[in-house]
Amino acid sequence: MSQEAARIVLDDEVLAELHEISSLGSDEVLDDLATARAREVLRDVEVLVTGWGCPELSAEVLAAAPRLRAVVHTAGSVRGHITSECWDRGIAVSSAAAANAVPVAEYTLAMILLTGKDVLGRTPGEGPAAIGNFGRTVGILSASLIGRRVIELLRPHDFDVLLSDPYVTAAEAEALGARSVELDELFARSDVVSVHTPLLPTTRGLVGRALIESMRPAAVLINTARGAILDQDALLDAASAGRVRAVLDVTEPEVLAVDHPLRHCPNVLITPHLAGSRGNECRRLARHAVAELRRWAAGSGFAHPVHREQLERIA
């Protein structure tokens, strides 16, 4: 992982647990796997604990790590470093995506509740009944780890929860606490739509102009997934006209220019990709990784494995 990631995730308590579970030769952090020192270390490694900034585990890297059997990732997506060669070798992979889902879901719940209390302002002409959270319809786009956690957090509140996910049956959605609907119905019926689908070739631009224009007057669009899932031009037109409101923790590009018109829409709140794990929340990621390593060392396998066949559906 990067040196910065190590400073965030690997505190003294975590390092002590890693020493307890495994033969951790040193507390050295490798951020370049092509060096002579890295090759020396990799020669005996059975498990890699990885994090943000991990170099790609290429065929050359794997050739230097003949004993490698597992990778425990202290962050979410493994796409940046797990290669086809890893899967071909049968290396077990674990991700802390479930742990990182927690603060994103908490952020989402907070924004749903706050927008219901009118922090973004109402559409002109709407009466007092438009304010409040009682009986609002919340639409969840994708039953990802985060989407499922959001649905769980919504349970104590008086919301009607809709879910659109082509991989989830009506019975499965009901078991989660939501009602399964098609994508167009989700946008047309929801007071709030929260986007939790991963960015894949099939989801780039998924939330297009037609869906945005179909939203209820003063409905709220929340995006904590990836900016490229939305048609930002269509969102700008709808927000500028006062038809919809939006909370964007992610944009395309990731940092909008200071003069981008979305920044100047009073009914659009943009936060700097802060919904994920930050500060002390990163300790949850580290503890998740330690728990996974402890299970693997005991021969129990990972509780949160990532499998090759999941890649077409996950971030």
Side-chain angles (χ1 to χ4, degrees):
M1 64 185 75
S2 71
Q3 299 295 326
E4 180 182 5
R7 286 191 292 271
I8 294 171
V9 175
L10 301 179
D11 60 23
D12 291 342
E13 181 179 341
V14 170
L15 289 172
E17 289 195 69
L18 291 177
H19 276 287
E20 174 191 332
I21 301 167
S22 63
S23 298
L24 189 64
S26 73
D27 297 347
E28 182 180 2
V29 175
L30 297 178
D31 56 10
D32 183 347
L33 300 180
T35 66
R37 174 56 179 161
R39 289 194 295 271
E40 179 185 348
V41 172
L42 289 172
R43 185 179 58 227
D44 299 319
V45 163
E46 293 179 279
V47 182
L48 279 177
V49 177
T50 62
W52 295 301
C54 178
E56 187 178 78
L57 302 183
S58 64
E60 293 75 18
V61 171
L62 295 179
R67 300 181 63 195
L68 182 63
R69 296 165 55 199
V71 176
V72 179
H73 193 45
T74 61
S77 177
V78 301
R79 288 180 179 272
H81 64 295
I82 299 298
T83 61
S84 60
E85 289 83 6
C86 293
W87 305 117
D88 292 343
R89 272 199 26 190
I91 294 172
V93 178
S94 170
S95 163
N100 194 51
V102 175
V104 182
E106 291 171 346
Y107 171 103
T108 302
L109 174 64
M111 293 304 174
I112 290 171
L113 294 173
L114 286 171
T115 56
K117 301 300 282 187
D118 199 30
V119 296
L120 292 178
R122 287 175 289 157
T123 298
E126 289 198 323
I131 300 176
N133 287 304
F134 179 73
R136 288 176 96 197
T137 299
V138 177
I140 303 298
L141 176 50
S142 183
S144 61
L145 288 170
I146 298 170
R148 290 167 184 259
R149 180 65 173 168
V150 171
I151 293 172
E152 181 181 345
L153 294 180
L154 291 173
R155 285 177 187 160
H157 304 279
D158 293 307
F159 291 121
D160 180 21
V161 182
L162 307 179
L163 170 66
S164 180
D165 190 315
Y167 298 101
V168 176
T169 67
E172 290 168 340
E174 184 177 359
L176 290 172
R179 187 151 44 90
S180 178
V181 297
E182 295 297 324
L183 186 60
D184 55 354
E185 184 178 354
L186 185 86
F187 276 79
R189 295 188 54 190
S190 297
D191 298 300
V192 182
V193 174
S194 191
V195 178
H196 300 292
T197 188
L199 179 60
L200 304 168
T202 55
T203 62
R204 183 175 291 273
L206 176 65
V207 181
R209 186 172 296 273
L211 289 176
I212 292 172
E213 290 181 349
S214 74
M215 295 178 73
R216 290 179 171 182
V220 178
L221 181 59
I222 300 175
N223 188 13
T224 58
R226 286 295 183 266
I229 294 169
L230 305 185
D231 181 338
Q232 284 186 172
D233 290 337
L235 176 60
L236 174 61
D237 291 344
S240 298
R243 296 196 307 273
V244 301
R245 299 173 289 169
V247 176
L248 305 176
D249 189 51
V250 288
T251 56
E252 181 67 21
E254 182 62 31
V255 179
L256 292 180
V258 293
D259 59 348
H260 194 286
L262 269 175
R263 289 187 178 272
H264 304 288
C265 286
N267 53 352
V268 175
L269 172 62
I270 299 175
T271 55
H273 203 156
L274 52 75
S277 299
R278 293 164 61 89
N280 60 32
E281 293 165 339
C282 294
R283 294 168 60 192
R284 182 186 287 118
L285 303 179
R287 289 176 178 175
H288 183 282
V290 167
E292 286 287 77
L293 180 58
R294 195 179 294 279
R295 284 180 56 92
W296 188 85
S300 301
F302 292 135
H304 299 274
V306 180
H307 300 293
R308 187 181 214 162
E309 57 270 21
Q310 294 176 288
L311 294 181
E312 65 178 25
R313 297 169 50 183
I314 64 174

